[in-house]
Each structure stands twice: as structure tokens, then as C-alpha cells.
Amino acid sequence: MQPELGAAETEEFMSVAAHDLRNPIAVVRASAQMAQRQINRGDTPGAQTRLKSIVDQTDRLTEMLETFLDAARLGAGQVPLRPERLDLREVVDSAAERARMLLGETIQRGIEVHVPDGCIGLWDRPRITRAIRALLTNALLYGDPAVPVQVEALRVDDRVRVCVSGGGAGPYVEEVSRLFERFFRGRSAAEAGQSGSGLGLFTARGIARLHGGDVRRLDGDLFELELPLVADSPADP
């Protein structure tokens, strides 16, 4: 666990949050203004399209705020979990949907999911979904755009290992030791022109460890999320 945020880190955290939230807020405002004009001139279909954009951006803002809050709580060691019995396949599918929603139409890549039946765990639904979504987003943004993202789950005794890869080269060698640091963003992000808070991998690992698991980089852009399963979860056939 990393120490609580000091004054300098708190200022950096607020700066990052303000920067990342500014764009979706601007989109919501512009869409609302356009919807108003379309309603005034009787363009109902056009207004409905703009209203959908507002809903999508609001969902994006909510997810970003939750990530910022989790990062702050992890730093303070104050993350209340609400575990419930969940099926891993359902969680991965939900995480994939959230990743696509957050990225919008800028990323057009497939996600191939292979999860054995019966991988049941006692996990906090929104947080485990957020952890997997962070790994998927990383693969979608920085992997090979010519290949689909791969999600492979392997059951080992009473645990499951979820491997996520985008088929990319991965981080620069000198950056590997810093991948899970709060606010860290590698050169590949800047080279790809991608903005971001540098909190995805930090929060993913923190959430996994709160559940008795972990997140680690294996090779290239291949990351593994390990989680415990419930004792009565059926074994693979």
C-alpha cells in the first residue's frame, strides 16, 4: 500500500482530476446546448441523439469520479468493500462494456473472452469490474490495433488467473518498475497521444489486493489479475 497523499501529491491529484474531467464536461455542455436548439426547431430525432450523448458522457464522468475516489481511498487505506457472490464471466462482460463506453468510438477493436464456467467469487462488484476494466482499457489503447484484445481465465485450485493482452510490445524496459505507481504514465501513452490520469493500474492492483489477490505484469503488455474463488465453486470439467 502506498502512503497517504502529501500536500504535493494532493495538488497533483486535483490537477489530474480537473484536467481529465474538463473534456467530458465540455461535451455535456455543448450537447445540451445543441439539444436545446434542436428542440426549439422541432428536430426531435436530432435532440434525442444529443441527449443520448449527454447520458453517455454522464456515465463516463461517474466512472472517472469513482476511479479518483478509489485511488484516494486506497492511498488512505480506507476502502469499504461490499462483497457478493459473482460469476467471473458476467463481471468480465460488464467490464468490457464499460471500457467501450468510456473510450467511445475512438477505439474499434474486438475483445475475445475465454472464461471457464463456474468461476464464482465473493467480490465487490463495482470495484472488481473497475479493476478488470482498467486492464482492458490499457490493452485497447496501447496494444496492436490489428488484433483483438484477449482475455483468458485459468482456474488454479481455489483461485483464478485472468490474463489480459492487447498484443502490443508493452512498456519500455526502464518503466517496468513504475507501472503500478500512482499517477505514472509511460512514454507509450504520450507517443500514442492518449490522455489519462495514470491511476488505472494503481487502482486495479489495489482493488485486487483488497480481495486477497493481485495484479502483475507477465510479459509485453500481458497483465494477470489473480483472485480467490469461493470454496464451493465447482471445478472445471
Side-chain angles (χ1 to χ4, degrees):
M1 180 181 298
Q2 295 194 14
E4 291 190 42
L5 296 178
E9 279 197 309
T10 298
E11 183 176 350
E12 181 179 7
F13 185 92
M14 297 301 294
S15 175
V16 168
H19 179 271
D20 280 10
L21 294 173
R22 189 174 292 118
N23 184 59
I25 289 173
V27 173
V28 168
R29 179 177 176 81
S31 295
Q33 291 173 331
M34 179 61 73
Q36 273 188 321
R37 290 193 288 269
Q38 289 170 322
I39 290 172
N40 289 338
R41 62 173 180 258
D43 182 6
T44 302
Q48 289 176 334
T49 298
R50 293 294 177 180
L51 291 173
K52 181 181 182 304
S53 175
I54 292 173
V55 172
D56 291 344
Q57 290 298 322
T58 301
D59 287 343
R60 182 184 179 197
L61 281 166
T62 300
E63 186 68 24
M64 293 170 69
L65 286 169
E66 291 296 336
T67 297
F68 293 139
L69 287 172
D70 272 352
R73 290 165 179 157
L74 284 166
Q78 300 175 347
V79 183
L81 295 181
R82 296 178 176 81
E84 57 180 298
R85 191 181 178 93
L86 299 173
D87 185 283
L88 180 62
R89 177 60 195 246
E90 176 191 345
V91 176
V92 172
D93 287 343
S94 178
E97 182 179 346
R98 299 298 289 177
R100 290 192 179 285
M101 181 272 293
L102 288 173
L103 294 176
E105 298 180 356
T106 58
I107 303 294
Q108 296 293 329
R109 294 181 63 190
I111 301 176
E112 296 182 357
V113 178
H114 305 279
V115 177
D117 293 334
C119 289
I120 309 298
L122 290 175
W123 308 314
D124 183 301
R125 182 188 297 273
R127 291 193 167 94
I128 286 298
T129 302
R130 193 167 298 126
I132 297 174
R133 190 265 300 163
L135 299 183
L136 285 169
T137 300
N138 188 70
L140 286 165
L141 286 175
Y142 308 121
D144 183 347
V147 301
V149 169
Q150 297 292 322
V151 182
E152 295 274 355
L154 173 66
R155 180 172 179 151
V156 181
D157 299 324
D158 61 347
R159 303 180 78 79
V160 64
R161 297 173 181 172
V162 184
C163 293
V164 181
S165 172
Y172 289 93
V173 173
E174 65 272 19
E175 297 176 344
V176 170
S177 63
R178 301 190 61 197
L179 288 177
F180 295 96
E181 288 183 11
R182 185 168 39 209
F183 304 129
F184 178 72
R185 298 184 69 248
R187 284 163 51 196
S188 57
E191 290 168 356
Q194 300 291 348
S195 62
S197 61
L199 294 174
L201 292 177
F202 169 76
T203 55
R205 171 176 274 184
I207 289 168
R209 289 182 171 178
L210 285 173
H211 286 82
D214 206 351
V215 172
R216 57 186 70 91
R217 172 185 171 267
L218 300 182
D219 184 49
D221 73 344
L222 175 63
F223 286 82
E224 177 187 84
L225 166 67
E226 181 181 337
L227 292 170
L229 299 171
V230 295
D232 60 345
S233 183
D236 295 340

